[in-house]
Amino acid sequence: MAEQGVLVGIDLGGTNVRAGVVSQSGELLHWEEQPIEAQRGPESGLATIAVLVENVVEQAHQPVLSLGIGSTGPLDRERGCIQNPYTLPGWEDVDIVTPLRERFNVPVALENDADAAALGEAWAGAGRGAASIVMLTIGTGVGFAWIRNGEIHRGVGGEHPEGGHILIDPAGPECYCGARGCLESLVAGPAIARFAQQAASGKRSPFLESAAEAIEAIEARHVFEGARQGDPACLELVDQTAVHIARGLASIMMMILPEVIVLTGGVLRSYGLMEERIRTELERVDVIIPARQVKLQLSQTGQQAGILGAARAAQLLLQEAL
Ligand SMILES: [Zn+2]
């Protein structure tokens, strides 16, 4: 029988940090959120996180066994450091594990946020019971993670693979990853927004031209809204997005053929508009692999996936130590 007590999961993003108390069977008991105010620097951020954890621990009324962090990367997991000046300005080589371990006197795990979310979904969401789960997050960027037999798949040197940047269209837009037409450059929210802004500048969409105050203010959500209202240019953009997502899913299926692909993120809130087209495209993949058997499922834990997965990482750390 497992030791009495709870796990704490921390989900650190570029804007907010969330912390929650999770039971050993994967039930989120209580959680809270705070702005991280990254521009105030890592010292202030670490203090915010410590206070937030103290607050949730106080609500737990049970001993905390271990603590996990799912953080926006890049990270150095070995050394417990965050190396992310991109979305956390000033956070270069910041040790987040040691201060939390010293303050709370429990083991502390650190994982990439995409890995943590997938771990959460595999433990307590749409991937429960499946041996191989891929999670694809399409929002501001495209996140990818693969959980095999309950554990995170790690690349060489323990690094996190970036499946969101697989090549889809070599003639597509440039991406900061160095490629043209990778999945993220075609289907992430900002990419859809750029296509929509081009359509509006070219006077191809009456809906988009009047959707926002300025052309630069047009966002991906306007495209989905326009499609719901039957705007032809928006429908075309949604169709294009669905085809690109389907190509990404097809590549993932060809390489991994997981039991479940969990879909999440802001863009996939409009999955209903794209589902039919995605499924039709995927039928073509069915020739050489049983793609139809791969379950495509929307996330069941939603925004709590990160907290749950960080807590699961904390639990796995305890089991490793046994
Ligand atoms: Zn890319």
Side-chain angles (χ1 to χ4, degrees):
M1 174 122 178
E3 199 185 332
Q4 284 288 315
V6 289
L7 308 155
V8 170
I10 302 166
D11 180 12
L12 175 60
T15 314
N16 292 309
V17 55
R18 297 182 177 139
V21 176
V22 179
S23 77
Q24 292 183 69
S25 53
E27 197 188 344
L28 182 56
L29 303 170
H30 171 78
W31 70 280
E32 290 178 24
E33 181 175 42
Q34 280 282 323
I36 189 72
E37 297 180 293
Q39 73 287 351
R40 293 181 59 194
E43 221 162 282
S44 150
L46 291 175
T48 302
I49 294 168
V51 171
L52 187 65
V53 171
E54 251 159 35
N55 287 349
V56 296
V57 166
E58 219 167 274
Q59 300 288 325
H61 307 294
Q62 283 189 67
V64 173
L65 301 173
S66 59
L67 223 141
I69 309 150
S71 170
T72 166
L75 312 169
D76 183 337
R77 284 185 57 252
E78 289 280 283
R79 296 170 47 240
C81 290
I82 295 179
Q83 294 169 318
N84 187 349
Y86 315 103
T87 50
L88 292 167
W91 291 59
E92 283 178 66
D93 219 24
V94 173
D95 181 351
I96 188 169
V97 166
T98 309
L100 287 170
R101 192 171 46 214
E102 284 172 356
R103 182 140 181 176
F104 297 96
N105 207 21
V106 290
V108 178
L110 175 65
E111 296 291 355
N112 169 286
D113 55 356
D115 284 334
L119 204 51
E121 200 66 34
W123 189 35
R128 221 178 331 203
S132 178
I133 301 121
V134 164
M135 187 156 175
L136 192 67
T137 308
I138 308 183
T140 313
V142 177
F144 167 91
W146 178 17
I147 307 295
R148 286 192 298 171
N149 301 319
E151 287 188 13
I152 296 166
H153 166 80
R154 302 192 197 280
V156 61
E159 295 288 325
H160 173 74
E162 288 290 351
H165 292 266
I166 48 175
L167 187 63
I168 302 293
D169 175 9
E174 271 179 35
C175 176
Y176 62 91
C177 74
R180 270 188 176 277
C182 68
L183 188 60
E184 179 164 317
S185 78
L186 292 165
V187 306
I192 298 171
R194 266 193 308 277
F195 287 123
Q197 289 163 11
Q198 285 161 8
S201 325
K203 306 266 178 230
R204 282 182 277 132
S205 165
F207 177 87
L208 289 173
E209 280 162 55
S210 60
E213 278 170 28
I215 282 184
E216 308 78 67
I218 297 173
E219 294 175 15
R221 65 186 170 90
H222 295 124
V223 175
F224 293 115
E225 212 176 294
R228 280 190 193 94
Q229 294 186 24
D231 178 82
C234 290
L235 285 166
E236 210 175 289
L237 281 175
V238 168
D239 190 65
Q240 170 190 305
T241 306
V243 170
H244 288 147
I245 291 174
R247 284 185 194 162
L249 290 170
S251 290
I252 291 168
M253 287 179 184
M254 288 289 189
M255 281 189 294
I256 295 173
L257 200 61
E259 286 174 57
V260 182
I261 299 180
V262 180
L263 302 169
T264 189
V267 168
L268 289 170
R269 273 203 285 270
S270 299
Y271 180 64
L273 281 174
M274 300 184 280
E275 183 174 5
E276 204 186 317
R277 181 68 157 144
I278 289 174
R279 289 195 186 272
T280 313
E281 283 293 311
L282 285 173
E283 278 169 18
R284 295 183 201 173
V285 187
D286 215 49
V287 177
I288 53 170
I289 53 164
R292 243 176 272 248
Q293 289 181 32
V294 179
K295 287 192 199 104
L296 289 182
Q297 293 199 319
L298 291 174
S299 156
Q300 288 174 1
T301 61
Q303 297 194 320
Q304 272 74 55
I307 296 177
L308 286 163
R312 176 62 175 162
Q315 188 179 46
L316 289 173
L317 189 65
L318 287 180
Q319 290 171 2
E320 258 170 44
L322 286 180

